[in-house]
Amino acid sequence: MLSNVAAVVFDGVAPFELGVLCEAWGIDRRAQGVPYTEFAVCAERPGSVATSMGFDLDVHHGLDRLAEADLIAVPAMPRDRPVPPAVIEGLQAAYGRGARIMSVCVGAFTLGAAGLLDGRPCTTHWLYSDELADRFYALLIDGMRGY
Protein backbone atom coordinates (compact mmCIF):
# COMPACT_ATOMS: atom_id res chain seq x y z
CA MET A 1 0.00 0.00 0.00
CA LEU A 2 1.23 3.48 -0.77
CA SER A 3 1.91 5.58 2.27
CA ASN A 4 4.29 8.23 0.98
CA VAL A 5 3.98 10.18 -2.29
CA ALA A 6 6.17 12.92 -3.71
CA ALA A 7 5.50 15.11 -6.73
CA VAL A 8 8.65 16.42 -8.39
CA VAL A 9 8.56 19.78 -10.17
CA PHE A 10 10.88 22.21 -11.92
CA ASP A 11 10.38 25.55 -13.67
CA GLY A 12 7.51 25.41 -16.14
CA VAL A 13 5.33 22.95 -14.25
CA ALA A 14 1.68 22.94 -15.32
CA PRO A 15 -0.40 23.91 -12.29
CA PHE A 16 -3.51 21.98 -13.33
CA GLU A 17 -1.73 18.64 -13.50
CA LEU A 18 0.16 19.36 -10.27
CA GLY A 19 -3.16 20.29 -8.70
CA VAL A 20 -4.62 16.91 -9.66
CA LEU A 21 -1.75 15.17 -7.87
CA CYS A 22 -2.19 17.41 -4.82
CA GLU A 23 -5.92 16.65 -4.78
CA ALA A 24 -5.39 12.90 -5.14
CA TRP A 25 -2.74 12.44 -2.46
CA GLY A 26 -2.39 15.68 -0.52
CA ILE A 27 -5.77 15.78 1.19
CA ASP A 28 -6.28 13.86 4.43
CA ARG A 29 -9.36 11.69 3.86
CA ARG A 30 -9.08 9.42 6.91
CA ALA A 31 -12.55 10.58 8.03
CA GLN A 32 -13.90 8.93 4.87
CA GLY A 33 -12.00 5.70 5.54
CA VAL A 34 -9.14 6.37 3.13
CA PRO A 35 -5.67 5.57 4.47
CA TYR A 36 -3.45 8.57 5.17
CA THR A 37 -0.68 9.33 2.70
CA GLU A 38 2.32 11.54 3.43
CA PHE A 39 2.56 13.93 0.48
CA ALA A 40 5.13 16.50 -0.57
CA VAL A 41 5.95 18.63 -3.58
CA CYS A 42 9.70 18.55 -4.25
CA ALA A 43 12.08 20.58 -6.38
CA GLU A 44 15.80 20.61 -7.05
CA ARG A 45 16.09 23.24 -4.33
CA PRO A 46 13.39 24.41 -1.93
CA GLY A 47 12.06 27.82 -2.87
CA SER A 48 10.42 29.46 -5.84
CA VAL A 49 9.43 27.36 -8.87
CA ALA A 50 7.85 29.09 -11.86
CA THR A 51 4.67 27.58 -13.31
CA SER A 52 3.65 27.61 -16.95
CA MET A 53 0.86 30.06 -16.08
CA GLY A 54 2.93 32.99 -14.86
CA PHE A 55 2.90 32.52 -11.11
CA ASP A 56 5.38 30.84 -8.80
CA LEU A 57 5.09 28.05 -6.26
CA ASP A 58 6.87 28.11 -2.92
CA VAL A 59 8.21 24.55 -2.70
CA HIS A 60 9.36 23.44 0.75
CA HIS A 61 11.12 20.14 -0.08
CA GLY A 62 14.26 19.34 -2.02
CA LEU A 63 14.92 16.21 -4.05
CA ASP A 64 16.23 14.42 -0.97
CA ARG A 65 12.52 13.93 -0.09
CA LEU A 66 12.23 11.50 -3.04
CA ALA A 67 14.18 8.90 -1.04
CA GLU A 68 11.19 8.45 1.30
CA ALA A 69 8.50 8.12 -1.36
CA ASP A 70 6.73 4.90 -2.33
CA LEU A 71 5.39 6.72 -5.39
CA ILE A 72 6.93 9.62 -7.26
CA ALA A 73 4.57 11.54 -9.52
CA VAL A 74 5.68 13.83 -12.34
CA PRO A 75 3.07 16.36 -13.47
CA ALA A 76 3.10 17.95 -16.91
CA MET A 77 6.48 19.61 -17.32
CA PRO A 78 8.02 21.55 -20.20
CA ARG A 79 8.74 19.42 -23.27
CA ASP A 80 10.93 22.07 -24.89
CA ARG A 81 13.75 22.43 -22.35
CA PRO A 82 16.19 20.03 -20.73
CA VAL A 83 15.23 18.22 -17.56
CA PRO A 84 17.55 19.30 -14.75
CA PRO A 85 20.23 16.63 -14.25
CA ALA A 86 19.49 16.46 -10.51
CA VAL A 87 15.85 15.59 -11.29
CA ILE A 88 16.98 12.82 -13.66
CA GLU A 89 19.37 11.47 -11.02
CA GLY A 90 16.67 11.60 -8.33
CA LEU A 91 14.18 9.73 -10.52
CA GLN A 92 16.75 7.11 -11.51
CA ALA A 93 17.78 6.58 -7.88
CA ALA A 94 14.15 6.17 -6.83
CA TYR A 95 13.57 3.69 -9.63
CA GLY A 96 16.71 1.81 -8.63
CA ARG A 97 15.44 1.33 -5.07
CA GLY A 98 12.05 0.13 -6.30
CA ALA A 99 9.83 3.20 -5.97
CA ARG A 100 6.82 3.44 -8.26
CA ILE A 101 7.03 6.32 -10.69
CA MET A 102 4.20 7.81 -12.72
CA SER A 103 3.61 10.82 -14.91
CA VAL A 104 0.62 12.91 -15.84
CA CYS A 105 0.17 14.07 -19.45
CA VAL A 106 3.44 15.37 -20.91
CA GLY A 107 5.27 14.48 -17.71
CA ALA A 108 6.09 11.37 -19.78
CA PHE A 109 8.77 13.46 -21.51
CA THR A 110 10.55 13.86 -18.16
CA LEU A 111 10.45 10.11 -17.58
CA GLY A 112 11.66 9.54 -21.14
CA ALA A 113 14.59 11.91 -20.57
CA ALA A 114 15.48 9.92 -17.46
CA GLY A 115 15.50 6.69 -19.50
CA LEU A 116 12.78 5.16 -17.35
CA LEU A 117 10.40 4.31 -20.18
CA ASP A 118 12.78 2.51 -22.53
CA GLY A 119 11.13 -0.65 -23.81
CA ARG A 120 7.97 -0.01 -21.81
CA PRO A 121 4.49 0.77 -23.05
CA CYS A 122 3.61 4.38 -22.31
CA THR A 123 1.45 7.18 -23.52
CA THR A 124 0.99 10.91 -23.26
CA HIS A 125 -1.52 13.49 -24.43
CA TRP A 126 -2.58 12.39 -27.93
CA LEU A 127 -1.40 15.70 -29.38
CA TYR A 128 2.19 14.91 -28.38
CA SER A 129 2.40 11.12 -28.84
CA ASP A 130 4.26 11.39 -32.17
CA GLU A 131 6.77 13.80 -30.63
CA LEU A 132 7.30 11.45 -27.69
CA ALA A 133 7.93 8.54 -30.07
CA ASP A 134 10.30 10.60 -32.22
CA ARG A 135 12.37 11.87 -29.28
CA PHE A 136 12.52 8.63 -27.31
CA TYR A 137 12.65 5.92 -29.95
CA ALA A 138 13.14 3.11 -27.41
CA LEU A 139 9.63 3.66 -26.03
CA LEU A 140 6.60 1.59 -26.92
CA ILE A 141 3.99 4.30 -27.44
CA ASP A 142 0.53 3.10 -26.51
CA GLY A 143 -2.52 4.79 -27.96
CA MET A 144 -3.32 6.77 -31.05
CA ARG A 145 -0.58 8.22 -33.22
CA GLY A 146 -1.00 10.90 -35.85
CA TYR A 147 -4.51 11.74 -34.69
Side-chain angles (χ1 to χ4, degrees):
M1 176 184 310
L2 295 176
S3 63
N4 195 310
V5 178
V8 62
V9 300
F10 52 90
D11 282 341
V13 61
F16 175 78
E17 286 81 355
L18 176 59
V20 170
L21 297 172
C22 293
E23 181 77 20
W25 285 290
I27 296 175
D28 185 350
R29 293 189 171 91
R30 286 179 284 189
Q32 290 79 35
V34 178
Y36 180 72
T37 303
E38 291 286 333
F39 178 76
V41 177
C42 309
E44 187 172 2
R45 286 176 297 285
S48 183
V49 174
T51 70
S52 63
M53 300 305 295
F55 61 89
D56 293 352
L57 303 172
D58 184 18
V59 178
H60 296 249
H61 299 277
L63 295 178
D64 57 323
R65 175 62 174 73
L66 300 180
E68 303 171 32
D70 304 316
L71 171 67
I72 297 169
V74 180
M77 303 299 296
R79 304 176 343 277
D80 58 350
R81 63 179 92 148
V83 178
V87 170
I88 289 175
E89 291 168 12
L91 290 170
Q92 290 172 338
Y95 175 80
R97 67 171 175 77
R100 294 180 178 157
I101 302 175
M102 64 164 284
S103 64
V104 177
C105 196
V106 296
F109 284 81
T110 299
L111 299 185
L116 300 180
L117 299 179
D118 292 355
R120 298 177 181 277
C122 62
T123 192
T124 190
H125 188 288
W126 65 265
L127 188 60
Y128 304 109
S129 62
D130 286 344
E131 180 184 347
L132 186 70
D134 291 343
R135 286 182 50 194
F136 306 107
Y137 59 89
L139 306 183
L140 304 173
I141 305 300
D142 193 12
M144 296 181 285
R145 289 185 48 117
Y147 195 97

